[in-house]
Amino acid sequence: MKRILVTGGAGFIGSHLCERLLSEGNDVICVDNYFTGSKDNIRHLLNNHNFELVRHDVTSPYSAEVDEIYNLACPASPPYYQYNPIKTMKTSIYGAMNTLGLAKRVKAKILQASTSEVYGDPAVHPQVESYWGNVNPIGIRSCYDEGKRVAETLFFDYHRMNKVDIRVMRIFNTYGPRMHPNDGRVVSNFIVQALRGDNITLDGDGSQTRSFCYVDDLIEGMVRLMNTENFIGPVNIGNPSEFTIKQLAEKVISLTNSMSKLITNPLPSDDPRQRQPDISLAFEKLGWKPKISLDEGLKRTIDYFKKDIEC
Ligand code: NAD
Ligand code: UDP
């Protein structure tokens, strides 16, 4: 049994990760300030004696004797990370420093949930890990993008200077059950709008692309990365099947048999035009590739939201 700390464990991805780590017999401490996460996401785990829940903000140090740390604490949806951009930056940077400091003291392995946003509005397509990115340092997405870039820098500096055993994973758009209905990200927005018969809000003409990964595939990649020796990343984890946002909207309408209509909103500034992970490195080093198609993942997510938004 390993003792594992998951920061941001009450969030969408974090709750699935806690579940997976507990199912493997580990002792899990979930730390969260509930900014975008919720106790509801991990309520079903509270009776498990190997699970501990701690209300804590990662901008302050936290201490526990652990073997591994997964650092996920950070709002991931644009409206939420832009709500208080200074706080978002603090969460990324102080959160990384505090968890890295802990990893150094207790000699724990530590994994950073980084993001495809480190590539910004990418000029290289699909995105490979060796690409340094095209990020606006002063725009409305910068608090998130630059915060995550600094966090990666801190991870590599703690590794070089203090021999901390790091893993850095660049997550591409991930979706699935337990996204919050008001989360603001495109998959949950479109599904909730379609199920309610509301207009589907397309930003711009919907020709921008994203590549959507189902959460179970992502968790498998995350755990493999933590458990693989002699490979620290950074590594892209995402589903390389690329769709325009308009295609996503049409798929959601068709899978929900919805009467919803598409409406157009202005495209937010700095919205990346295209995004698709090159996952050759993940396959080579982790033997990982996603298994769940967008259609299958959307069906599972739609089933979840049908129950979730009724109650
Ligand atoms: P989420 O918003 O559901 O989860 C983030 C969790 O962190 C929430 O539970 C939130 O309450 C918590 N949190 C935020 N600030 C905190 C703080 N200061 N102290 C303690 N807890 C705090 O988002 P998610 O989609 O589950 O994302 C998890 C991680 O994965 C994030 O670091 C995100 O940047 C990264 N990521 C996610 C995606 C994606 O598509 N879902 C893509 C790239 C990267
Ligand atoms: N988007 C959209 N309608 C929405 C929410 C998002 O058209 O209701 C677009 C958004 O402008 C972006 C894409 O969908 O081009 C993905 O947005 P999301 O917030 O999910 O993630 P990110 O931009 O961080 O990849």
Side-chain angles (χ1 to χ4, degrees), residues 81-253:
Y81 71 63
Q82 287 163 21
Y83 171 75
N84 183 343
I86 298 167
K87 173 73 189 196
T88 300
M89 188 62 106
K90 283 184 177 169
T91 295
S92 269
I93 297 179
Y94 296 150
M97 292 180 94
N98 288 328
T99 47
L100 283 161
L102 175 62
K104 179 184 158 193
R105 277 196 303 285
V106 302
K107 298 196 174 6
K109 256 196 267 183
I110 178 165
L111 181 147
Q112 168 67 356
S114 190
T115 168
S116 52
E117 290 284 327
V118 300
Y119 302 121
D121 188 6
V124 167
H125 194 75
Q127 290 78 58
V128 279
E129 290 84 351
S130 53
Y131 176 50
W132 290 352
N134 177 33
V135 176
N136 175 0
I138 57 167
I140 56 170
R141 295 175 84 100
S142 312
C143 59
Y144 183 74
D145 300 9
E146 297 288 21
K148 289 283 187 178
R149 285 169 69 95
V150 174
E152 286 201 9
T153 307
L154 285 165
F155 267 68
F156 277 82
D157 283 336
Y158 268 78
H159 176 67
R160 281 186 287 258
M161 224 179 130
N162 301 119
K163 308 273 179 291
V164 173
D165 193 3
I166 61 161
R167 304 285 186 276
V168 174
M169 158 177 193
R170 293 183 179 156
I171 303 173
F172 283 64
N173 296 67
T174 298
Y175 68 98
R178 299 204 202 111
M179 294 185 91
H180 194 277
N182 299 325
D183 175 272
R185 281 176 280 187
V186 70
V187 174
S188 45
N189 267 13
F190 285 1
I191 292 178
V192 171
Q193 289 163 344
L195 290 176
R196 289 183 172 149
D198 295 343
N199 290 328
I200 305 268
T201 52
L202 210 55
D203 291 347
D205 62 4
S207 62
Q208 68 274 33
T209 68
R210 294 293 186 273
S211 308
F212 299 101
C213 184
Y214 188 68
V215 64
D216 291 1
D217 280 332
L218 180 95
I219 297 294
E220 180 60 33
M222 199 178 250
V223 172
R224 280 193 196 199
L225 175 60
M226 182 63 107
N227 294 334
T228 299
E229 297 305 324
N230 305 316
F231 177 61
I232 61 175
V235 62
N236 293 336
I237 299 286
N239 191 320
S241 307
E242 185 184 14
F243 297 87
T244 67
I245 295 303
K246 191 164 182 207
Q247 284 172 327
L248 175 73
E250 284 158 356
K251 246 183 205 305
V252 169
I253 290 176

Side-chain angles (χ1 to χ4, degrees), residues 11-13 32-33 35-37 57-58 72 91 144 148 174 185:
F12 156 54
I13 295 177
D32 207 294
N33 70 350
F35 174 47
T36 49
D57 192 306
V58 295
L72 273 63
T91 295
Y144 183 74
K148 289 283 187 178
T174 298
R185 281 176 280 187

Side-chain angles (χ1 to χ4, degrees), residues 56-69:
H56 176 80
D57 192 306
V58 295
T59 56
S60 301
Y62 174 79
S63 211
E65 291 293 325
V66 289
D67 306 301
E68 292 178 356
I69 303 169

